[in-house]
Amino acid sequence: MIPPDQHLQIGSLLFEGLDQIDLTGPFEVLSRIPNSTYRVYGKTADTVRDYRGLRITPDAAIADAPQLDVLHVPGGFGQEALMEDTVVLDWIRAQAGHARIFSVCTGALICGAAGLLMGRRATTHWASFHLLRYFGATPVNERVVIDGDWIFAAGVTSGIDGALRLAAELRGDEVAQGIQLFMEYAPQPPFNSGTPETAPAAVLAQTRQSVAKITAQREATAQRIATKLGIIVPTAAE
C-alpha cells in the first residue's frame, strides 16, 4: 500500500483497434482511486476507434506523459500493430523503470514484445495464453495474476477484477471495496460459459474458429520477437 498522501499519476495506453472494455472497465476503477490523476495516452493525440468502431480520444500523446506511477496496457485486435512499434515499446520500457504495470488481455503481449515478461508469472486472454512462453513468461491460468509490482488480468472483463486488486495494492482493501460497491460490481452472468473450461464444446469450437486468423497472426509475430529476444521456445515434443 502506498501512503495516502502520496499523489499518484495513473495512465492508460490507447491505440487503434483496442478492445474498449480492456480500457473502460479498468477506467471505472482507476479513475476513482483517491489522490490520483488519471489520464489516457495515445501514440499521438488523435482520436482512434476501438475494434468495434467506438471513437475514443486520448488526453495527450505518450511523448507528453509524465513519469507514471501506474501504467495500464489494454489489449484487443489492434495490439498486433504495436508489437514491433519501437516508439511505443521504448515508451513502455521507460515507464516500466518506475511504474507498476497493469496489463489486460493481450496487453500482456505488448509488454512481452518490449522484453518485460522474461521470468514473470503472467496471464492473458485464453486464445493467446499459449503465446506467453514466446516472451519468456511463465503462463498462469488464473483470472488475475500478481507478480511483484505487476498485475496481469486475463481476457476483457477480467480487467475490472485486476483493477480492483490494483486499487487495493495502492490504497488498501477498504478503498477497493468502496469502489466496487459504488460500481455495484457483483457479477451474476446468465450463462456459465465465460471460460474455455466451462463453455459448451460447440460454443468453444466456434469461438476458437472466429479468432483463428488473429491468433495465427499473433503467433507468427510472437515467434519473430522470441528470436529477437533470444528466447528458445521448446516444441510440444520437448
Side-chain angles (χ1 to χ4, degrees), residues 37-226:
T37 298
Y38 174 87
R39 294 287 183 269
V40 177
Y41 298 98
K43 185 175 180 180
T44 71
D46 296 338
T47 296
V48 302
R49 290 181 182 268
D50 94 314
Y51 89 104
R52 302 301 295 178
L54 181 67
R55 292 178 180 270
I56 308 175
T57 302
D59 295 298
I62 58 176
D64 298 320
Q67 173 58 66
L68 300 172
D69 297 294
V70 175
L71 172 59
H72 162 219
V73 183
F77 283 25
Q79 145 270 328
E80 265 296 289
L82 300 187
M83 295 294 284
E84 295 169 291
D85 186 320
T86 56
V87 173
V88 174
L89 297 181
D90 285 348
W91 181 73
I92 292 173
R93 278 190 288 264
Q95 288 289 346
H98 174 77
R100 293 170 183 248
I101 305 297
F102 169 41
S103 80
V104 178
C105 197
T106 53
L109 305 187
I110 300 174
C111 295
L116 298 174
L117 293 194
M118 287 185 278
R120 292 193 179 278
R121 299 168 68 253
T123 194
T124 188
H125 189 277
W126 59 264
S128 295
F129 185 77
H130 64 292
L131 302 180
L132 289 171
R133 61 199 179 110
Y134 287 98
F135 307 106
T138 299
V140 180
N141 187 20
E142 295 178 5
R143 191 164 171 84
V144 177
V145 174
I146 298 179
D147 186 307
D149 285 341
W150 285 58
I151 294 182
F152 300 90
V156 195
T157 58
S158 61
I160 299 174
D161 300 61
L164 287 167
R165 294 285 294 274
L166 176 58
E169 293 282 319
L170 296 172
R171 295 300 192 213
D173 288 358
E174 287 191 4
V175 167
Q177 290 166 353
I179 294 172
Q180 180 179 357
L181 175 60
F182 183 85
M183 293 169 59
E184 199 171 348
Y185 181 58
Q188 294 180 321
F191 306 105
N192 188 25
S193 62
T195 69
E197 293 80 12
T198 60
V203 172
L204 177 59
Q206 183 179 33
T207 305
R208 281 194 188 280
Q209 183 58 38
S210 73
V211 296
K213 182 177 179 180
I214 184 65
T215 300
Q217 186 177 347
R218 284 169 171 159
E219 184 157 7
T221 303
Q223 288 172 340
R224 287 197 305 274
I225 292 170

Side-chain angles (χ1 to χ4, degrees), residues 2-15:
I2 294 177
D5 60 349
Q6 180 178 331
H7 188 80
L8 299 174
Q9 294 284 347
I10 302 173
S12 295
L13 177 64
L14 176 66
F15 53 89

